[in-house]
Amino acid sequence: GFSMSVYDVTSQSISLRWPKFSGASSYRVTATAVNTVGHSLLVHFSDVTLKGTITSLIPNTVYAIQAEAIDKNGITLAETQLVQSTAPDIPVIDQAYSKLSNSITVEWRAVPGATSYLLTAQDGDSSIETVVTNSPGTVTGLKPATLYRITIRSINSGGRSQPSPFTKAKTVLAAPILSVSSPSCDSIAVSWKAVDMAAGFSVFLMRSDGLGRMLKENTTNTSLIFTNLDPGTLYTIKAYAWNVNGIPGDDFTYNQRTSPDTPVDVQVAFNSGALRATVSWMPTEGALTYSVTASSGFLKLQCNTSSASCMVPSFQCSSEYSVSVIAHNDAGSSKPSDAVSLKTIPCAPVNISIEEDEPSHLLVSWSSVNFGHYYVVFVKSDDGLEVHCNTSHTQCHFQSDCGFTYFISVFAYNKAGQSPLGDVFNYTTAPCCPSDLRAAFVSSDTVQVTWAPVRGAEVYETRAVGRRGAVLCNDTATACTLSALHCNTRYNITVHSFSEARGHNTSCASKHVATAPCSPEIKNISKEALSVISVHWQSSNEEATYIVTARGEAGLWHCTSSGNSCTLINLPCGSAFSVSVIAKSPAGQSLPSYSVPLETAPCCPNDLILTQVTQSVTNISWSVGMGAQTYVTTLESPKGQAKCHTLQNYCLLGCITCGTNYTVSLQAISETGLTSKCTYQGYSSSACCPSGVKLYRLGTSGIRVYWRASEETINYSTELHGSKGNFTCTPSSRLSHCDITQIPCGDVYTVVVSPVTDKGMKLTFCPKKIYSVTCSGSSVGMVLYRGKSNAEH
């Protein structure tokens, strides 16, 4: 726990310290030179002494140092040791001098073993130390014109020596601090503050490139000016102060360039499209930068550059600028160059108005523009066609077409160029009037109007104006149907085209259209004859032609009239018709009138057949009469009348007198009671059947049939029918008997005697009688009446 340390070393001493060791009554320190034989020092210290210094040592020598703690009995309690070198020997200053105002340079002889030296400059209570490695050494950080005491110590790894004997030295004057400027392109002004203890100043000036001669000025003032210098040239200025002994102090060197000369040959190239200008000039000697200023009133535009041209942006249109250039360097600025006047392009025209001063003509006008020498108006239509107008006035006329949109721009021009593009206006002319206007009647009160589409039209308005008001139709299509028109009316029809941009084109021509006549009104229908009908109506159109139509299942019947009545002829019988009237005029055809029903009288049957059923009953039959529902047949003679009313097409008439001529008539009656009287060829009833028919035996094998004739002019036919044979005989005219010569006996015979008509036909309705013819041997015996036969009737 016993240790020792070094706290100071000099050239001939080493100072040590150690801690108190318990039980020690003294301490013994021994220093033995390591490399020197026989040189050893021993020093005793009391128990209260804990540090000590070993002196009389050899400089720059390594010593082995041992410390021992000894008790009161002289016994070593503890020991410790270390190795320490002494500092080098004390240097001796040869000389000390000052070349700069803030330093003193010291020269000395080298000391063996010294690795560095400590220089000290002391001024009163202040001192400045500097460590250097060898001679000479300089102490810096000193005050100008000040006397210092200079000492030096040598240093090695062991420590540093004692100070050398001092030497006095004084620092030289401080350098004057120059303030340099170039007030003009051919002068440099130099000024400085007074330097303490200075008796005067010397100032030198020469070109930095070495050309030309050096200028020198000695002065006791603190400023001076060098003139007649080269513009924009770098000069070197050197100045120092000297004291009363003429010893110069520090010098101060400063490089100063003269300000540049004024730029010349200034040129301005104006870019009209970008509203900027390129300004150029001849390069100026010594100019580092240039500034270009364009002034117009209170407005200033600037640009800075290091080259001989500059782009000045953001010029205003319709303005005049004064452009000048100033050269700059670190010394200052030149005078502005001679001003160059620049007139910029004119501004875009404003207050542009567009109007159609007359149809198909556009008038474009605008306000005049400062510095505008002339104007060009460009008008481009939406189909790509462009025209322009060049004028020195403030308006232009253009031809225009309907339905086009025109894009209009106005430019002003002067020598600088074209004005910027201002507002582009668009103007849409009124849509074109519809062309190829056609009106076609759909019905008497409806007209379909069509037209060809036109440019610019978005909607079409069709207006029909008549004496009773107007009818409107709006549509985007090129057709419009005008309905609810009044008949027999003249309308003025106009189709107006419409666009959102311009509204209606009100200059479109109209078309006159007259509607068809009004429907006639049938007042009555009268029957002039069997197949002749007169139709009467009422109508207000005197120019119309009227057509009457009877329409039925039988077909169509027409008649035409320009008045208020018309007669239909040859109408078929038994037919139903619907009768209507229409009116026709050059304007068209009316709607038909309300129909009136018409029924013609029934047709007379074409065929009427009378068949005698019995002597007093006749059957009449006939073909169907068109339109007839019931029939009334009449047979009429002076002897009486037979009549029948039936739904059928036949009838049995009784109470007919045989052998009588009758007048035959028939009435065909329709469902509504219309009657047709039909007359036919007369009818003669058949002759009367004979009476008193009897059979008499005639000889042995014959029989005579006898009767009583109703008329002498009638011929009769006799028929006998039996099981053994049938026999017929026809007597000669006007005879009332007939003989059958050979007739078998023993048979029953039916005997019929009938009148024969002119046509040779036999009547079948005469009564039959039955007779038995007996035999007497092989001959006719008796003829017996057996009664009438009712087998058929």
Side-chain angles (χ1 to χ4, degrees):
F2 183 62
S3 63
M4 176 178 56
S5 64
V6 177
Y7 70 87
D8 188 27
V9 176
T10 67
S11 300
Q12 296 179 343
S13 65
I14 297 174
S15 298
L16 304 169
R17 64 163 58 93
W18 55 88
K20 183 176 180 63
F21 192 82
S22 178
S25 63
S26 64
Y27 298 94
R28 182 173 58 209
V29 178
T30 303
T32 305
V34 175
N35 296 321
T36 303
V37 178
H39 185 76
S40 177
L41 295 175
L42 177 64
V43 182
H44 287 271
F45 298 95
S46 66
D47 61 342
V48 296
T49 304
L50 298 179
K51 64 180 180 178
T53 300
I54 302 175
T55 61
S56 303
L57 300 180
I58 303 172
N60 192 35
T61 301
V62 177
Y63 285 89
I65 301 172
Q66 179 176 326
E68 297 172 289
I70 301 172
D71 63 9
K72 60 184 180 178
N73 298 319
I75 297 173
T76 300
L77 299 177
E79 65 178 19
T80 183
Q81 61 182 5
L82 55 78
V83 177
Q84 175 63 46
S85 174
T86 56
D89 204 356
I90 299 172
V92 176
I93 297 175
D94 292 334
Q95 64 175 340
Y97 53 88
S98 173
K99 290 186 177 181
L100 297 175
S101 62
N102 68 339
S103 67
I104 292 176
T105 300
V106 182
E107 295 180 1
W108 65 92
R109 289 185 297 275
V111 176
T115 58
S116 61
Y117 300 89
L118 176 66
L119 299 179
T120 302
Q122 188 172 6
D123 172 27
D125 295 333
S126 65
S127 65
I128 296 177
E129 294 180 342
T130 300
V131 176
V132 297
T133 57
N134 49 39
S135 177
T138 300
V139 182
T140 61
L142 307 181
K143 294 181 289 187
T146 303
L147 184 63
Y148 286 91
R149 292 176 62 177
I150 307 300
T151 60
I152 185 170
R153 299 183 187 211
S154 59
I155 302 173
N156 66 6
S157 60
R160 57 188 179 181
S161 69
Q162 289 85 358
S164 68
F166 67 87
T167 299
K168 291 184 179 181
K170 190 175 185 179
T171 55
V172 298
L173 297 178
I177 305 302
L178 302 181
S179 294
V180 185
S181 65
S182 178
S184 65
C185 64
D186 63 348
S187 66
I188 291 178
V190 184
S191 63
W192 57 89
K193 292 182 180 181
V195 177
D196 189 28
M197 300 181 70
F201 302 91
S202 296
V203 182
F204 301 86
L205 180 142
M206 68 176 297
R207 286 176 61 122
S208 297
D209 55 9
L211 300 177
R213 63 187 182 88
M214 185 189 332
L215 301 178
K216 178 182 179 182
E217 293 287 343
N218 291 326
T219 181
T220 59
N221 295 326
T222 58
S223 65
L224 58 87
I225 295 177
F226 293 94
T227 59
N228 298 319
L229 304 180
D230 298 326
T233 302
L234 183 65
Y235 285 88
T236 299
I237 299 97
K238 182 178 181 180
Y240 60 84
W242 32 268
N243 59 18
V244 292
N245 296 321
I247 299 174
D250 289 347
D251 58 39
F252 185 90
T253 302
Y254 191 91
N255 289 327
Q256 174 66 44
R257 190 182 299 274
T258 53
S259 59
D261 204 355
T262 302
V264 295
D265 195 19
V266 177
Q267 304 289 331
V268 179
F270 185 68
N271 186 331
S272 61
L275 276 175
R276 58 190 182 188
T278 300
V279 183
S280 60
W281 53 90
M282 290 293 294
T284 301
E285 180 68 30
L288 299 180
T289 61
Y290 301 89
S291 62
V292 180
T293 302
S295 302
S296 176
F298 295 105
L299 178 65
K300 291 184 182 296
L301 302 176
Q302 287 186 327
C303 76
N304 298 314
T305 181
S306 59
S307 63
S309 66
C310 191
M311 181 73 70
V312 182
S314 305
F315 282 92
Q316 290 187 347
C317 55
S318 290
S319 299
E320 184 173 8
Y321 288 85
S322 177
V323 181
S324 61
V325 182
I326 298 176
H328 304 274
N329 60 17
D330 49 7
S333 303
S334 70
K335 293 181 180 179
S337 66
D338 292 336
V340 176
S341 178
L342 170 64
K343 290 183 179 179
T344 62
I345 59 174
C347 293
V350 295
N351 298 326
I352 298 174
S353 66
I354 306 163
E355 60 180 327
E356 290 184 77
D357 54 345
E358 56 182 275
S360 301
H361 285 84
L362 289 181
L363 173 63
V364 182
S365 58
W366 57 92
S367 299
S368 61
V369 179
N370 289 338
F371 303 116
H373 295 166
Y374 65 96
Y375 305 91
V376 178
V377 183
F378 293 91
V379 176
K380 186 174 183 178
S381 59
D382 53 13
D383 63 353
L385 182 65
E386 184 176 71
V387 296
H388 69 276
C389 161
N390 191 327
T391 180
S392 59
H393 302 291
T394 58
Q395 63 179 23
C396 267
H397 290 270
F398 291 92
Q399 192 78 20
S400 64
D401 292 319
C402 58
F404 276 87
T405 297
Y406 293 94
F407 299 92
I408 300 167
S409 54
V410 183
F411 293 90
Y413 290 83
N414 60 15
K415 290 182 179 180
Q418 173 186 288
S419 70
L421 174 64
D423 293 334
V424 178
F425 292 83
N426 64 70
Y427 184 88
T428 302
T429 55
C432 298
C433 289
S435 60
D436 196 18
L437 184 64
R438 298 182 182 182
F441 281 96
V442 178
S443 64
S444 62
D445 65 346
T446 302
V447 174
Q448 185 178 48
V449 183
T450 58
W451 55 89
V454 294
R455 281 189 62 90
E458 299 171 2
V459 178
Y460 299 94
E461 179 188 85
T462 306
R463 178 186 294 267
V465 180
R467 64 179 183 271
R468 297 184 183 179
V471 177
L472 289 177
C473 171
N474 288 317
D475 206 331
T476 56
T478 57
C480 189
T481 300
L482 300 171
S483 57
L485 301 179
H486 296 286
C487 57
N488 194 31
T489 301
R490 184 178 177 85
Y491 282 92
N492 188 17
I493 297 179
T494 308
V495 179
H496 296 289
S497 51
F498 175 84
S499 69
E500 289 288 342
R502 194 51 56 195
H504 286 92
N505 187 340
T506 58
S507 62
C508 300
S510 59
K511 184 180 184 68
H512 296 282
V513 174
T515 56
C518 297
S519 298
E521 180 183 357
I522 297 176
K523 304 306 290 185
N524 63 24
I525 297 177
S526 61
K527 184 175 181 182
E528 303 297 329
L530 181 62
S531 60
V532 178
I533 301 297
S534 289
V535 182
H536 302 268
W537 59 85
Q538 179 180 347
S539 180
S540 60
N541 195 326
E542 297 179 356
E543 297 178 357
T545 299
Y546 299 90
I547 301 173
V548 179
T549 300
R551 185 186 306 273
E553 293 182 359
L556 296 175
W557 273 258
H558 303 283
C559 69
T560 303
S561 172
S562 58
N564 291 328
S565 65
C566 185
T567 301
L568 294 169
I569 60 175
N570 298 324
L571 291 177
C573 57
S575 298
F577 294 94
S578 177
V579 180
S580 62
V581 183
I582 60 172
K584 280 189 176 181
S585 71
Q589 177 178 300
S590 73
L591 290 173
S593 67
Y594 295 123
S595 297
V596 175
L598 171 66
E599 183 182 357
T600 56
C603 296
C604 290
N606 292 327
D607 301 317
L608 187 139
I609 301 173
L610 288 87
T611 303
Q612 190 112 18
V613 179
T614 65
Q615 188 170 282
S616 64
V617 176
T618 299
N619 182 44
I620 303 178
S621 63
W622 53 88
S623 61
V624 175
M626 181 67 71
Q629 185 184 49
T630 61
Y631 303 91
V632 176
T633 57
T634 303
L635 296 180
E636 192 169 1
S637 71
K639 296 180 180 180
Q641 183 186 68
K643 194 172 186 179
C644 173
H645 192 179
T646 179
L647 289 169
Q648 310 300 325
N649 60 339
Y650 59 88
C651 188
L652 289 176
L653 292 176
C655 302
I656 300 301
T657 303
C658 55
T660 303
N661 290 329
Y662 285 92
T663 299
V664 181
S665 64
L666 181 145
Q667 288 182 333
I669 305 171
S670 71
E671 186 178 358
T672 60
L674 294 178
T675 303
S676 293
K677 294 183 179 180
C678 311
T679 303
Y680 297 91
Q681 187 178 359
Y683 168 69
S684 296
S685 60
S686 61
C688 297
C689 291
S691 61
V693 176
K694 296 180 180 180
L695 268 65
Y696 296 96
R697 186 177 66 176
L698 183 65
T700 58
S701 59
I703 293 177
R704 171 171 286 185
V705 181
Y706 175 83
W707 59 86
R708 198 166 40 248
S710 58
E711 293 184 16
E712 294 181 354
T713 60
I714 295 177
N715 294 326
Y716 296 91
S717 173
T718 302
E719 293 181 354
L720 278 77
H721 301 283
S723 61
K724 296 181 179 182
N726 297 321
F727 301 92
T728 301
C729 84
T730 302
S732 301
S733 177
R734 295 182 181 84
L735 293 179
S736 58
H737 65 273
C738 181
D739 295 335
I740 299 173
T741 58
Q742 296 294 329
I743 184 171
C745 61
D747 197 0
V748 176
Y749 289 93
T750 300
V751 180
V752 179
V753 180
S754 302
V756 179
T757 64
D758 295 339
K759 297 180 180 180
M761 295 180 59
K762 299 177 184 178
L763 298 178
T764 60
F765 53 76
C766 289
K768 299 175 181 179
K769 291 186 176 182
I770 300 174
Y771 287 88
S772 294
V773 179
T774 63
C775 293
S776 175
S778 59
S779 303
V780 174
M782 296 179 65
V783 178
L784 301 176
Y785 176 63
R786 298 276 300 266
K788 292 184 178 181
S789 173
N790 57 358
E792 294 178 3
H793 303 285

